[in-house]
Amino acid sequence: MKGFWIMLSQVSISSSRICISFLTQLVVTHPGLVCLLSADEATGYGPVFEEQPVDTIYPEESPEAKITLNCRARANPPATYKWKLNNMEIDLNEEGSHYSLVGGNLVINNPIKTKHEGNYSCLASNMYGALISQVGSVQFGYLDLFSSEERETVKVKEGQGAVLLCAPPPHHPAELSFRWILNEFPTFIPLDKRRFVSQSNGNLYISKVDSISKSVFSNYIPLMPQAERPIRKYPADLNVKFPDTTALVGQNITLECFALGNPVPEIHWKKLDGPMPNHEIRMAGAHLHLYNVQFEDGGTYRCEAVNSRGKDYHTARLSVEAFPEWVEHINSIEKDLNSEYTMSCIATGKPKPHIRWLKNGELMRFSSLTFDDSGMYQCIAENHHGVIYANAELRVFACAPTFEHNPVKRVLAAKNGRVVIECRPKAAPKPTFSWSKDTELLSNSTRVFIWEDGSLEILNVTRADEGRYTCFAENDRGKANSTGSLLVTESTKITLAPSNADVKVGENAWMQCAALHDPSLDITFIWSLDGRNGSSNGELLIKNAQLKHAGRYTCTAQTPVDNITASAHLVVRGPPGAPGGVRVINKTDKSVTLQWSRGADNHSPISKYTIQYRNSFSKDVWKNATTSPADVEGNAETSTVKDLFPWTEYEFRVIATNTLGTGEPSSPSPKEKTLEFLWWRPRTFGGGGGTSRELTITWTPVQPQYYYGPNFGYIVAFRPQDDYQWRRVIVADPQANRYVHKESSIPPLTQFQVKVKAFNSKGEGPYSLTAIIYSAQDAPSEAPVNVNGRALSATEAIVWWLPLSQSNIDGYQVKYWRNQEDSEGGAQRVVVPGKENHTRLEGMKPDSSYLIEIRGYNSAGYGPPSEHLQVHTKKPPPSRPPTILGTKLKGQSVNIAWEHVEPLDNEASIDGYKVLYRQQGSSTGTLYTTSRRYIDLPLHDGDYVVEVRAHTEGGDGAVAKIKISGNSFTDYHSDEETIYEKI
């Protein structure tokens, strides 16, 4: 046996076929030698990739200064590896190289964009040939800073739309996500039907700018709304329009549309050339999100923006394409010398993939294989979405026949049956075959056939066919033979066949099967349901039968030699199946007519149908519908659902019932919206309050399910009590809950008559009942006087003042802050009801000078402040606790003594001591005060705690504790424990 190396040079076959150089070893078998493979040759094989390089983006600021591209191939003998950058081999040994090889992996140390960006591929080779990997690109990722240039102020009239440009900085890769900040970080702008951030360009779109009291700043763009009265209405104007888009099969994709306008436009989506695919509407209509896109989802999509002043629409096309995918590809194979072989690769994809080969041709057909055709082959399918690889090894060999690894075997056959005795020697080229039984040479007859692959077939086997059979194989390299035997057994017969059964859901079903067989053989019973295998014994018990258990049951009695079958049917009666095709065929403002098709009755007639509905307000809860007629009979396929809300989107489903139960519900119907209807009278409203010279009118906004039509809004009418002329104002926002009328000539607390009604596209509803509402009062005009106060302790003070004489006072605000240390902006505040004229101030700092200010307030605002009152808090109490000297028992009392506490220079002087005597575990007890440094306390059964602290004008000092328990006392002062013996 000889081996030699050949090198295939790179040859251009055509624009669609490329042969790339690689190295392979071809093993030539000497003519006349039999196929006896060595252990290495039997187990050896060419490279098979297990890991290949993938596209990599390296962040330019990455703390890990290296890139690793993986390559690993299974091969015997093990593969060696080379790497290419942009089809040029990388010299790993070059001086100053940044490259190193770890196993088959390529490591790039300290990557440099200008040197190392590009397309990498790995070449794995051994004695059987070489394979080139898929390409993995290396790119460098970055995100530059925003430009530091000032952004110009955007000025827009109130009610108009605004667009704030993002102008993102240079970056790679292309995908970015965008958010906008309002005024300062981290106040991110919430996105709703009025505000939208495009994820394609980062721009912020505001459909209608509301009036605000100060400038609004994005990251760098001041937005200045220009107040305008009355606020003008603007028609819907689409500013964000999705372009013609290409998606890949299986992707999720989002289409964007957003409109400016006042009132805020609503956005609706539709597919012009077919039904909408599986989708979700997001961002208050601005995003159409398509899930798991398929080819049929391609087509023309339209977004439509509508408000009461007009509408705008945009259409664009969605094209669906696909990554290449193999339909048929090459696999490793061994073929005989001089045989024919066709190597084929077929791929699907959109656009249609281009097929390339890495050895000599697009479709490789070999009319007479030679040893030179051995080697590693690759085909590559590619379109602009991606590339896929198929790799295979072809081995061409020749040898004389040999039965060493696959001799003719001993075979059992059932009487009157059929038997095939295989003859599968290893041989190349393909040998000719002949057979003998004992000493008789066999030839083809009506019962005996020699197949082209060498197998011997015998029909209608009898006992006379038993004996020794020899297969002879011969080719131009030599010949060989192998002998086996045939033993004939009794055939298997069914003696007890299963019987048909009829049960209800939940009952048990029983089937039996028995057979007669050759006593020398084992028998197995296999049950199957409609071709699916199940139990493997002669009896079959189906417990708690369900509808899915119905069908044709087959019992197979099987021995190692033959098998025989018998079948029976099981009928399971149960609740009906789900109806199908539920759809709305007619609708009004408060009713719809449904149509459906009958589902399976499951062998029990349908007695009635139940219809259920849900809408966006029922939170996905299905509710039973009111129908006409009230009872929907089992032979019906239509019904009218009534008592629905107008202008509301519904889904419906139908459930069938028979005497055996209620079945599964149908799939929901397509969503349908009932017709619009005129809204009725608002039920609750009121108002009053607000700032000076304002009339505030409030009401409870109508829930969306009660809009009953598009262009929903409110009409507010009001007039002074002594006026005959009503003023009408239209509030177009359906979610509005107030209207504020501002007029400088309105006197405080003027009485108004007010009424509210709703409208939609059908017209105006009736007014509510008239209510009496007062305009806002004026803020207090007087400042509190005679403000006095004093410090109570180191942390508390009390302050009092003369009540204001005005009748419109809701309360007082007391503000206090440290005179030197604090600013007035950081002051503490206390709110006091209008009926009170004093309060306690807490949380103050010891030994500090405070300024105190008081002002009256009501719903219109705060009045002028009082003159400042200055109060100085007391020095703090001692920070050190008393030191308990000891305890003495005096009859039925205990004497406790302690050392005098010496206050620090900045602490208040001692006025006396407080002693709390309490049972352990209780927070309350008896409090004693004394100017002495000892006290006698009554002795009780149980565990008690004594707390001693100094008392000063600044408050109580730190606490010393002692525990009195039985015959010993435990001192807890200063975290030390001292045990005193009973005296």
Side-chain angles (χ1 to χ4, degrees):
M1 186 174 295
K2 295 182 178 179
F4 62 90
W5 294 95
I6 67 168
M7 174 73 78
L8 299 178
S9 62
Q10 183 169 349
V11 180
S12 175
I13 304 300
S14 71
S15 60
S16 62
R17 294 176 291 172
I18 301 174
C19 177
I20 295 180
S21 304
F22 62 90
L23 196 61
T24 180
Q25 183 186 42
L26 304 177
V27 179
V28 181
T29 305
H30 190 279
L33 293 180
V34 298
C35 294
L36 299 176
L37 301 178
S38 67
D40 288 343
E41 291 167 330
T43 59
Y45 52 87
V48 178
F49 281 118
E50 294 183 321
E51 287 188 16
Q52 301 187 63
V54 296
D55 293 343
T56 301
I57 296 177
Y58 174 75
E60 290 188 340
E61 296 87 3
S62 174
E64 185 179 8
K66 68 177 181 179
I67 301 171
T68 301
L69 298 171
N70 294 333
C71 183
R72 180 163 57 90
R74 186 175 69 254
N76 189 6
T80 58
Y81 300 92
K82 296 181 180 179
W83 281 84
K84 293 184 176 183
L85 169 58
N86 299 329
N87 287 327
M88 297 291 292
E89 186 173 326
I90 297 172
D91 184 358
L92 300 174
N93 299 316
E94 181 183 0
E95 185 176 351
S97 171
H98 292 246
Y99 299 105
S100 59
L101 202 62
V102 179
N105 298 341
L106 181 69
V107 179
I108 311 173
N109 296 293
N110 301 312
I112 302 172
K113 177 180 173 66
T114 55
K115 286 186 177 182
H116 302 122
E117 194 167 62
N119 295 322
Y120 289 79
S121 55
C122 165
L123 189 74
S125 60
N126 70 359
M127 62 181 291
Y128 293 104
L131 288 181
I132 194 162
S133 72
Q134 66 186 24
V135 173
S137 67
V138 169
Q139 296 178 302
F140 284 65
Y142 61 93
L143 178 61
D144 289 349
L145 296 176
F146 273 101
S147 169
S148 59
E149 293 182 5
E150 287 285 332
R151 303 283 185 105
E152 291 187 4
T153 299
V154 176
K155 296 183 179 181
V156 60
K157 291 182 178 179
E158 189 174 351
Q160 280 187 326
V163 180
L164 305 184
L165 303 182
C166 178
H171 60 277
H172 182 82
E175 295 79 16
L176 287 178
S177 61
F178 299 91
R179 288 198 291 176
W180 283 72
I181 295 171
L182 176 64
N183 291 329
E184 59 184 19
F185 183 84
T187 308
F188 290 104
I189 293 178
L191 304 182
D192 50 31
K193 64 187 296 184
R194 194 170 65 85
R195 290 169 291 200
F196 173 74
V197 174
S198 171
Q199 293 304 311
S200 61
N201 57 28
N203 294 345
L204 171 64
Y205 299 82
I206 305 175
S207 62
K208 167 197 161 193
V209 176
D210 288 339
S211 179
I212 53 179
S213 60
K214 61 179 180 180
S215 300
V216 175
F217 296 88
S218 70
N219 203 7
Y220 297 101
I221 305 176
L223 172 62
M224 299 291 293
Q226 307 295 302
E228 186 174 56
R229 291 289 185 271
I231 299 175
R232 291 182 57 187
K233 303 294 180 66
Y234 298 91
D237 178 19
L238 281 168
N239 258 250
V240 179
K241 303 175 182 180
F242 66 98
D244 287 342
T245 304
T246 299
L248 288 177
V249 168
Q251 264 190 336
N252 299 338
I253 192 166
T254 300
L255 307 181
E256 291 185 340
C257 266
F258 187 75
L260 311 184
N262 181 26
V264 176
E266 290 188 358
I267 296 180
H268 306 285
W269 292 85
K270 63 176 67 174
K271 187 170 185 280
L272 299 184
D273 43 11
M276 282 285 280
N278 186 19
H279 71 281
E280 180 182 357
I281 304 295
R282 296 178 177 174
M283 297 296 296
H287 279 175
L288 172 65
H289 189 72
L290 304 180
Y291 293 98
N292 189 23
V293 172
Q294 300 299 311
F295 284 120
E296 59 268 22
D297 300 337
T300 303
Y301 288 79
R302 169 177 288 184
C303 66
E304 202 171 79
V306 183
N307 68 5
S308 58
R309 299 305 298 264
K311 69 178 179 179
D312 191 10
Y313 66 87
H314 166 73
T315 60
R317 186 158 187 82
L318 173 65
S319 301
V320 181
E321 298 186 350
F323 196 86
E325 187 174 352
W326 290 121
V327 175
E328 177 183 331
H329 61 78
I330 56 177
N331 291 289
S332 296
I333 194 170
E334 289 184 349
K335 298 298 293 183
D336 297 353
L337 182 69
N338 299 325
S339 64
E340 292 188 354
Y341 176 55
T342 299
M343 192 176 284
S344 176
C345 276
I346 302 172
T348 61
K350 189 176 180 182
K352 184 178 179 180
H354 166 63
I355 304 292
R356 292 188 291 122
W357 288 85
L358 297 192
K359 192 170 183 179
N360 302 341
E362 187 176 84
L363 182 65
M364 308 194 74
R365 180 178 179 83
F366 306 90
S367 58
S368 179
L369 287 170
T370 68
F371 293 121
D372 290 345
D373 296 318
S374 294
M376 304 300 299
Y377 288 81
Q378 290 180 283
C379 61
I380 302 170
E382 182 175 12
N383 65 14
H384 61 254
H385 295 300
V387 57
I388 53 177
Y389 293 71
N391 310 320
E393 180 182 1
L394 171 63
R395 290 192 187 181
V396 180
F397 70 98
C399 65
T402 175
F403 287 94
E404 178 180 354
H405 300 291
N406 195 17
V408 176
K409 297 177 176 59
R410 176 176 179 267
V411 178
L412 298 177
K415 188 177 178 181
N416 301 320
R418 166 185 174 273
V419 68
V420 174
I421 307 175
E422 290 187 345
C423 180
R424 298 289 172 85
K426 188 168 186 64
K430 180 180 177 180
T432 59
F433 297 94
S434 59
W435 281 85
S436 68
K437 176 181 179 292
D438 298 329
T439 59
E440 176 188 359
L441 191 64
L442 299 177
S443 58
N444 289 340
S445 65
T446 56
R447 251 184 10 99
V448 179
F449 303 94
I450 300 175
W451 293 359
E452 185 179 352
D453 69 355
S455 299
L456 177 66
E457 179 182 26
I458 304 173
L459 305 178
N460 299 322
V461 174
T462 66
R463 291 285 184 184
D465 293 321
E466 289 187 331
R468 292 172 58 81
Y469 288 81
T470 301
C471 175
F472 299 89
E474 181 177 2
N475 66 9
D476 61 358
R477 306 270 169 146
K479 55 186 176 181
N481 63 76
S482 179
T483 300
S485 60
L486 173 64
L487 178 65
V488 178
T489 63
E490 291 295 329
S491 57
T492 305
K493 299 180 179 62
I494 294 286
T495 58
L496 177 61
S499 301
N500 293 337
D502 190 325
V503 298
K504 296 178 182 177
V505 168
E507 294 180 343
N508 295 341
W510 183 272
M511 290 186 178
Q512 291 181 294
C513 185
L516 184 66
H517 65 289
D518 190 295
S520 65
L521 302 175
D522 293 330
I523 190 169
T524 301
F525 293 92
I526 299 174
W527 289 88
S528 63
L529 170 58
D530 297 331
R532 302 187 304 274
N533 289 343
S535 174
S536 58
N537 57 55
E539 296 180 341
L540 178 64
L541 173 62
I542 304 170
K543 293 184 177 180
N544 188 25
Q546 302 297 311
L547 294 172
K548 64 182 180 181
H549 297 135
R552 182 172 180 265
Y553 285 81
T554 298
C555 168
T556 300
Q558 180 173 296
T559 70
V561 177
D562 66 342
N563 64 75
I564 190 169
T565 63
S567 300
H569 282 87
L570 172 63
V571 173
V572 180
R573 304 180 186 273
V582 180
R583 62 191 182 98
V584 174
I585 59 173
N586 192 25
K587 61 184 178 181
T588 69
D589 54 359
K590 298 178 183 176
S591 68
V592 300
T593 300
L594 296 179
Q595 186 179 66
W596 62 89
S597 57
R598 297 168 58 85
D601 64 10
N602 292 326
H603 311 289
S604 179
I606 297 172
S607 57
K608 70 170 185 176
Y609 288 100
T610 302
I611 298 175
Q612 296 182 326
Y613 72 88
R614 69 179 177 188
N615 56 35
S616 58
F617 312 109
S618 62
K619 298 181 179 178
D620 290 333
V621 175
W622 288 95
K623 300 179 180 180
N624 287 347
T626 303
T627 60
S628 178
D631 297 322
V632 183
E633 296 183 354
N635 58 357
E637 293 188 5
T638 63
S639 180
T640 297
V641 179
K642 56 183 186 177
D643 297 342
L644 301 176
F645 290 119
W647 195 245
T648 301
E649 195 171 64
Y650 284 92
E651 290 177 284
F652 300 92
R653 68 182 186 183
V654 181
I655 306 172
T657 301
N658 62 16
T659 57
L660 298 178
T662 298
E664 291 294 317
S666 68
S667 297
S669 69
K671 293 180 179 179
E672 286 279 354
K673 185 177 283 189
T674 49
L675 301 182
E676 61 262 36
F677 176 73
L678 194 59
W679 167 244
W680 57 76
R681 175 183 299 165
R683 296 181 180 176
T684 58
F685 75 101
T691 59
S692 179
R693 306 299 187 247
E694 287 184 353
L695 173 66
T696 301
I697 304 167
T698 63
W699 60 88
T700 301
V702 176
Q703 295 300 307
Q705 64 263 41
Y706 301 113
Y707 291 171
Y708 292 175
N711 304 324
F712 184 87
Y714 305 94
I715 296 174
V716 180
F718 55 94
R719 67 180 181 186
Q721 182 68 25
D722 55 357
D723 200 341
Y724 295 100
Q725 185 68 35
W726 290 91
R727 298 182 64 172
R728 282 169 46 109
V729 176
I730 295 176
V731 180
D733 183 359
Q735 298 179 3
N737 65 354
R738 66 172 48 225
Y739 171 74
V740 179
H741 173 65
K742 296 183 179 181
E743 188 176 330
S744 59
S745 61
I746 300 178
L749 295 175
T750 299
Q751 189 180 74
F752 279 83
Q753 290 182 316
V754 179
K755 54 187 179 181
V756 181
K757 67 179 176 180
F759 69 89
N760 62 17
S761 60
K762 292 285 284 187
E764 298 178 6
Y767 275 114
S768 65
L769 297 176
T770 301
I772 301 299
I773 297 174
Y774 291 87
S775 64
Q777 57 189 340
D778 279 341
S781 59
E782 299 177 5
V785 295
N786 289 356
V787 179
N788 279 292
R790 60 183 175 85
L792 297 177
S793 69
T795 59
E796 293 181 324
I798 188 170
V799 62
W800 60 91
W801 59 93
L802 281 180
L804 290 174
S805 60
Q806 294 175 265
S807 61
N808 62 340
I809 303 299
D810 292 341
Y812 299 91
Q813 182 197 71
V814 181
K815 188 166 66 172
Y816 56 102
W817 66 97
R818 286 191 293 178
N819 190 14
Q820 302 297 330
E821 293 86 348
D822 299 335
S823 66
E824 186 176 349
Q828 295 173 268
R829 291 169 171 81
V830 176
V831 175
V832 181
K835 295 179 180 180
E836 298 182 8
N837 68 331
H838 60 88
T839 188
R840 181 185 291 260
L841 309 181
E842 299 175 339
M844 305 174 84
K845 301 293 185 182
D847 196 15
S848 298
S849 178
Y850 274 83
L851 294 180
I852 302 172
E853 170 191 287
I854 304 170
R855 61 175 70 195
Y857 73 89
N858 59 22
S859 60
Y862 290 96
S866 68
E867 293 184 357
H868 290 169
L869 170 69
Q870 185 164 319
V871 171
H872 198 97
T873 54
K874 308 288 187 181
K875 286 185 176 182
S879 57
R880 294 176 295 179
T883 301
I884 296 178
L885 298 174
T887 62
K888 293 181 180 179
L889 187 63
K890 292 183 177 180
Q892 295 301 313
S893 64
V894 60
N895 176 269
I896 300 174
W898 57 87
E899 281 187 354
H900 176 65
V901 176
E902 192 65 39
L904 302 176
D905 292 341
N906 64 339
E907 294 177 345
S909 58
I910 307 300
D911 293 337
Y913 295 92
K914 289 184 179 180
V915 180
L916 178 64
Y917 188 35
R918 60 180 176 84
Q919 192 168 11
Q920 187 171 1
S922 174
S923 60
T924 60
T926 304
L927 182 65
Y928 301 88
T929 59
T930 179
S931 58
R932 297 175 295 182
R933 282 172 274 170
Y934 64 88
I935 194 170
D936 292 331
L937 299 174
L939 192 60
H940 303 294
D941 293 335
D943 295 335
Y944 279 78
V945 174
V946 179
E947 298 180 1
V948 183
R949 71 195 79 194
H951 173 64
T952 72
E953 66 172 3
D956 296 336
V959 179
K961 295 182 182 180
I962 187 172
K963 177 182 174 184
I964 302 174
S965 177
N967 295 332
S968 64
F969 311 116
T970 305
D971 180 12
Y972 286 92
H973 175 56
S974 301
D975 296 328
E976 296 178 357
E977 186 176 272
T978 306
I979 304 298
Y980 297 91
E981 294 294 327
K982 180 178 178 182
I983 300 173

